[in-house]
Amino acid sequence: IVIYTKKLWVGIGCQKGISSQLIKTVIKKVFGEYQLIYSEVAGIATIDKKASEIGLVEFCNLEKLPLKTFSAELLNNVFVPNPNNIISKLVGTLSVAEASAILAVSEIPFGEIMLLVPKQIFRLSGVGITVAVAKSESLIF
């Protein structure tokens, strides 16, 4: 038996104090624009410095999604289409959203990795959030 699986990982970079509702609003907006299916989200990925960000943790708990975090060093080793020198000075890596999404799907064995949504930057209610979506397509025997 062969099962075809699709896994979407959402990479997020955000400012301190973001709400879980704002995260959900932005992800739903991106998924609508790119015609992606929200129920196919496998999890959320970000930099380890955001592991205890209240809005992010709350969002993952409410949506029953795992939160994967990666060190700046690991993120900095990922080739991304849209590196950012300003963010590098702040957190020590050229990419948070794109790199964390790519790293999260790269952990799925035998998968072909694709960055479906390059980073999308939003500033809502005075808070910045960046979202990227990566996919791993794999065959499981």
Side-chain angles (χ1 to χ4, degrees), residues 28-91:
K28 290 261 189 179
K29 179 175 173 48
V30 168
F31 271 56
E33 287 176 11
Y34 282 83
Q35 299 176 330
L36 300 174
I37 300 168
Y38 186 77
S39 62
E40 287 190 12
V41 174
I44 304 298
T46 192
I47 192 167
D48 56 8
K49 293 177 171 99
K50 294 291 178 181
S52 59
E53 183 64 44
I54 294 167
L56 204 50
V57 171
E58 187 178 271
F59 172 79
C60 289
N61 287 338
L62 289 170
E63 298 294 316
K64 296 176 178 46
L65 294 170
L67 176 63
K68 281 188 184 178
T69 61
F70 302 98
S71 68
E73 183 182 16
L74 273 176
L75 294 172
N76 221 23
N77 288 327
V78 178
F79 173 79
V80 294
N82 302 293
N84 184 326
N85 288 320
I86 295 168
I87 210 74
S88 178
K89 291 176 182 139
L90 295 172
V91 295

